[in-house]
Coordinates of all heavy atoms in Angstrom, one line a residue:
A388 N 42.1 45.7 109.5 CA 42.6 46.8 108.7 C 43.9 47.3 109.2 O 44.8 47.7 108.5 CB 41.6 48.0 108.7
Y389 N 44.0 47.3 110.6 CA 45.3 47.7 111.2 C 46.4 46.8 110.8 O 47.6 47.2 110.5 CB 45.1 47.7 112.7 CG 46.4 47.6 113.5 CD1 47.4 48.5 113.4 CD2 46.6 46.5 114.4 CE1 48.6 48.4 114.1 CE2 47.8 46.3 115.1 CZ 48.8 47.3 115.0 OH 49.9 47.1 115.7
I390 N 46.2 45.5 110.8 CA 47.2 44.5 110.3 C 47.6 44.8 108.9 O 48.8 44.8 108.6 CB 46.7 43.1 110.5 CG1 46.4 42.8 112.0 CG2 47.6 42.1 109.8 CD1 45.8 41.4 112.2
N391 N 46.6 45.1 108.1 CA 47.0 45.4 106.7 C 47.8 46.8 106.6 O 48.7 46.9 105.8 CB 45.7 45.6 105.8 CG 46.0 45.6 104.4 OD1 46.4 44.6 103.8 ND2 45.8 46.7 103.7
D392 N 47.4 47.7 107.4 CA 48.1 49.0 107.5 C 49.5 48.8 107.9 O 50.5 49.4 107.4 CB 47.4 50.0 108.4 CG 46.2 50.6 107.9 OD1 45.9 50.3 106.7 OD2 45.5 51.4 108.6
A393 N 49.7 47.9 108.9 CA 51.1 47.7 109.4 C 52.0 47.1 108.3 O 53.1 47.5 108.2 CB 51.0 46.7 110.6
K394 N 51.4 46.2 107.5 CA 52.2 45.7 106.4 C 52.6 46.8 105.4 O 53.7 46.8 105.0 CB 51.3 44.6 105.7 CG 52.1 43.9 104.6 CD 51.2 42.7 104.0 CE 51.9 42.0 102.8 NZ 53.1 41.4 103.2
G395 N 51.6 47.6 105.0 CA 52.0 48.7 104.1 C 52.9 49.7 104.8 O 53.8 50.2 104.1
F396 N 52.8 50.0 106.0 CA 53.7 50.9 106.7 C 55.1 50.4 106.8 O 56.0 51.2 106.5 CB 53.2 51.1 108.2 CG 54.0 52.0 109.0 CD1 53.9 53.3 109.1 CD2 55.0 51.4 109.8 CE1 54.7 54.1 109.9 CE2 55.9 52.2 110.6 CZ 55.7 53.5 110.7
Y397 N 55.3 49.1 107.1 CA 56.6 48.6 107.2 C 57.3 48.3 105.9 O 58.5 48.4 105.7 CB 56.6 47.3 108.1 CG 56.6 47.6 109.6 CD1 55.5 47.2 110.3 CD2 57.6 48.2 110.2 CE1 55.4 47.4 111.7 CE2 57.6 48.4 111.6 CZ 56.5 48.0 112.3 OH 56.5 48.2 113.7
E398 N 56.5 47.9 104.9 CA 57.1 47.4 103.6 C 57.1 48.4 102.6 O 57.9 48.3 101.6 CB 56.3 46.2 103.1 CG 56.4 45.0 104.0 CD 55.7 43.7 103.5 OE1 55.0 43.9 102.4 OE2 55.9 42.6 104.0
K399 N 56.3 49.5 102.6 CA 56.3 50.5 101.6 C 56.4 51.9 102.1 O 56.6 52.9 101.3 CB 55.0 50.4 100.8 CG 54.7 49.0 100.2 CD 53.4 49.0 99.5 CE 52.9 47.6 99.2 NZ 52.4 46.9 100.3
G400 N 56.2 52.1 103.4 CA 56.1 53.4 104.0 C 57.2 53.8 104.8 O 58.4 53.4 104.6
P401 N 57.0 54.6 105.9 CA 58.0 55.1 106.8 C 58.9 54.1 107.4 O 60.1 54.2 107.7 CB 57.3 56.0 107.8 CG 56.0 56.3 107.1 CD 55.7 55.2 106.3
S402 N 58.3 52.9 107.8 CA 58.9 51.8 108.3 C 59.7 52.1 109.6 O 59.2 52.9 110.4 CB 59.9 51.2 107.3 OG 60.2 49.8 107.5
I403 N 60.9 51.4 109.8 CA 61.6 51.6 111.0 C 62.7 52.7 110.9 O 63.2 52.9 109.8 CB 62.4 50.3 111.3 CG1 61.3 49.1 111.5 CG2 63.3 50.4 112.6 CD1 62.0 47.8 111.6

Side-chain angles (χ1 to χ4, degrees):
Y389 158 61
I390 294 176
N391 193 72
D392 282 359
K394 184 175 176 63
F396 175 88
Y397 279 115
E398 293 186 351
K399 308 179 191 75
S402 199
I403 300 171

